[in-house]
Amino acid sequence: MKKVRNIHMIKKGIWLGTLTGLLLGIVLWFIEYVTGIRVYTLLLNIDFIPVIGDIEWPIWMEWFFHLTVAWGIAIIYLAWIRFQSDGSKNARWSTALLLSVVAALTYFPLTDLAIKPTPALDDVTAIVYWFIGHIIYAISLVKFDEWM
């Protein structure tokens, strides 16, 4: 029975990660489209990873790579709520915010490692947009989890 619940949690995590990852991608795409600040480019960029970074991936594969990270975050969120907290609303919000802030902090290493043009390390506007996108991600993580 425990194995069935864990499989259910992983399936839910994949659905939750897909919804939240798509929302984050759309938000950052829209910001980049309107402002020209390359936060969406940064989100999908993997050009710094040895071997796979040398390949010109189609956009759907770049999205797949992004969604694998979103799936992982959603599964960690669900597992933490189930196994390490009381499952309360406060625990859900604090877990989602913590994971999202950690994800948002990747702005700095991702920007530093990027080969293709991305925002500068000290571009305050880009950093604010990036963090806004990730706060929206945290909110959607909790709200979609409640909805599911």
Short mmCIF file of all heavy atoms in Angstrom, two decimals, residues 17-22 44 62-72:
data_model
loop_
_atom_site.label_atom_id
_atom_site.label_comp_id
_atom_site.label_asym_id
_atom_site.label_seq_id
_atom_site.Cartn_x
_atom_site.Cartn_y
_atom_site.Cartn_z
N GLY A 17 4.31 19.47 -11.45
CA GLY A 17 5.50 20.09 -12.05
C GLY A 17 5.26 20.56 -13.47
O GLY A 17 5.79 21.60 -13.90
N THR A 18 4.46 19.80 -14.22
CA THR A 18 4.14 20.21 -15.59
C THR A 18 3.35 21.52 -15.58
O THR A 18 3.69 22.47 -16.31
CB THR A 18 3.34 19.11 -16.32
OG1 THR A 18 4.16 17.92 -16.37
CG2 THR A 18 2.97 19.53 -17.73
N LEU A 19 2.31 21.58 -14.76
CA LEU A 19 1.49 22.80 -14.70
C LEU A 19 2.30 24.01 -14.22
O LEU A 19 2.26 25.08 -14.84
CB LEU A 19 0.30 22.59 -13.78
CG LEU A 19 -0.78 21.63 -14.27
CD1 LEU A 19 -1.80 21.36 -13.16
CD2 LEU A 19 -1.47 22.17 -15.51
N THR A 20 3.03 23.83 -13.15
CA THR A 20 3.79 24.96 -12.59
C THR A 20 4.96 25.35 -13.48
O THR A 20 5.26 26.54 -13.64
CB THR A 20 4.27 24.63 -11.17
OG1 THR A 20 5.05 23.43 -11.19
CG2 THR A 20 3.11 24.48 -10.21
N GLY A 21 5.62 24.35 -14.07
CA GLY A 21 6.72 24.63 -14.98
C GLY A 21 6.26 25.35 -16.24
O GLY A 21 6.94 26.26 -16.72
N LEU A 22 5.11 24.93 -16.77
CA LEU A 22 4.55 25.63 -17.93
C LEU A 22 4.21 27.07 -17.58
O LEU A 22 4.50 27.99 -18.35
CB LEU A 22 3.31 24.90 -18.46
CG LEU A 22 3.56 23.61 -19.22
CD1 LEU A 22 2.24 22.90 -19.51
CD2 LEU A 22 4.31 23.88 -20.51
N LEU A 44 15.60 28.43 -20.16
CA LEU A 44 15.75 27.24 -21.00
C LEU A 44 17.19 26.94 -21.39
O LEU A 44 17.46 25.92 -22.03
CB LEU A 44 14.91 27.40 -22.28
CG LEU A 44 13.40 27.54 -22.08
CD1 LEU A 44 12.69 27.56 -23.43
CD2 LEU A 44 12.82 26.45 -21.20
N GLU A 62 14.32 21.71 -25.09
CA GLU A 62 14.69 22.67 -24.05
C GLU A 62 13.59 22.75 -23.00
O GLU A 62 13.86 22.82 -21.81
CB GLU A 62 14.96 24.04 -24.67
CG GLU A 62 16.21 24.07 -25.51
CD GLU A 62 16.43 25.42 -26.18
OE1 GLU A 62 15.48 26.23 -26.26
OE2 GLU A 62 17.57 25.66 -26.61
N TRP A 63 12.33 22.71 -23.45
CA TRP A 63 11.20 22.69 -22.52
C TRP A 63 11.20 21.40 -21.71
O TRP A 63 10.91 21.41 -20.52
CB TRP A 63 9.88 22.84 -23.28
CG TRP A 63 9.46 24.26 -23.37
CD1 TRP A 63 9.74 25.15 -24.37
CD2 TRP A 63 8.71 24.99 -22.40
NE1 TRP A 63 9.20 26.37 -24.07
CE2 TRP A 63 8.56 26.30 -22.88
CE3 TRP A 63 8.15 24.66 -21.17
CZ2 TRP A 63 7.88 27.27 -22.18
CZ3 TRP A 63 7.47 25.63 -20.46
CH2 TRP A 63 7.34 26.93 -20.97
N PHE A 64 11.51 20.29 -22.34
CA PHE A 64 11.57 19.01 -21.62
C PHE A 64 12.61 19.09 -20.50
O PHE A 64 12.34 18.67 -19.37
CB PHE A 64 11.89 17.85 -22.58
CG PHE A 64 12.07 16.55 -21.87
CD1 PHE A 64 10.97 15.83 -21.41
CD2 PHE A 64 13.34 16.04 -21.64
CE1 PHE A 64 11.14 14.62 -20.73
CE2 PHE A 64 13.52 14.84 -20.97
CZ PHE A 64 12.41 14.13 -20.52
N PHE A 65 13.79 19.64 -20.80
CA PHE A 65 14.82 19.78 -19.77
C PHE A 65 14.31 20.66 -18.63
O PHE A 65 14.52 20.35 -17.46
CB PHE A 65 16.11 20.36 -20.35
CG PHE A 65 16.79 19.48 -21.35
CD1 PHE A 65 17.37 20.02 -22.49
CD2 PHE A 65 16.88 18.10 -21.17
CE1 PHE A 65 18.02 19.21 -23.42
CE2 PHE A 65 17.52 17.28 -22.09
CZ PHE A 65 18.10 17.85 -23.23
N HIS A 66 13.67 21.76 -18.98
CA HIS A 66 13.11 22.65 -17.95
C HIS A 66 12.06 21.93 -17.11
O HIS A 66 12.05 22.03 -15.89
CB HIS A 66 12.50 23.89 -18.63
CG HIS A 66 11.55 24.65 -17.78
ND1 HIS A 66 11.92 25.29 -16.61
CD2 HIS A 66 10.22 24.85 -17.90
CE1 HIS A 66 10.86 25.85 -16.07
NE2 HIS A 66 9.82 25.60 -16.84
N LEU A 67 11.20 21.17 -17.77
CA LEU A 67 10.13 20.47 -17.05
C LEU A 67 10.68 19.37 -16.14
O LEU A 67 10.09 19.10 -15.09
CB LEU A 67 9.09 19.92 -18.01
CG LEU A 67 8.19 20.98 -18.65
CD1 LEU A 67 7.23 20.32 -19.64
CD2 LEU A 67 7.41 21.77 -17.60
N THR A 68 11.79 18.76 -16.51
CA THR A 68 12.36 17.74 -15.61
C THR A 68 12.76 18.37 -14.27
O THR A 68 12.60 17.75 -13.22
CB THR A 68 13.56 16.99 -16.23
OG1 THR A 68 14.58 17.92 -16.57
CG2 THR A 68 13.15 16.19 -17.45
N VAL A 69 13.26 19.60 -14.32
CA VAL A 69 13.59 20.30 -13.08
C VAL A 69 12.30 20.61 -12.31
O VAL A 69 12.23 20.41 -11.09
CB VAL A 69 14.38 21.60 -13.38
CG1 VAL A 69 14.59 22.42 -12.11
CG2 VAL A 69 15.72 21.26 -14.02
N ALA A 70 11.27 21.08 -13.02
CA ALA A 70 9.99 21.39 -12.37
C ALA A 70 9.37 20.13 -11.77
O ALA A 70 8.78 20.20 -10.68
CB ALA A 70 9.03 22.04 -13.38
N TRP A 71 9.49 19.00 -12.45
CA TRP A 71 8.99 17.73 -11.89
C TRP A 71 9.72 17.39 -10.60
O TRP A 71 9.10 17.00 -9.61
CB TRP A 71 9.15 16.60 -12.89
CG TRP A 71 8.35 16.74 -14.14
CD1 TRP A 71 7.19 17.44 -14.31
CD2 TRP A 71 8.67 16.19 -15.42
NE1 TRP A 71 6.77 17.36 -15.62
CE2 TRP A 71 7.65 16.60 -16.31
CE3 TRP A 71 9.71 15.41 -15.89
CZ2 TRP A 71 7.65 16.24 -17.66
CZ3 TRP A 71 9.71 15.05 -17.23
CH2 TRP A 71 8.68 15.45 -18.10
N GLY A 72 11.03 17.54 -10.62
CA GLY A 72 11.82 17.25 -9.42
C GLY A 72 11.43 18.12 -8.25
O GLY A 72 11.25 17.64 -7.13
#
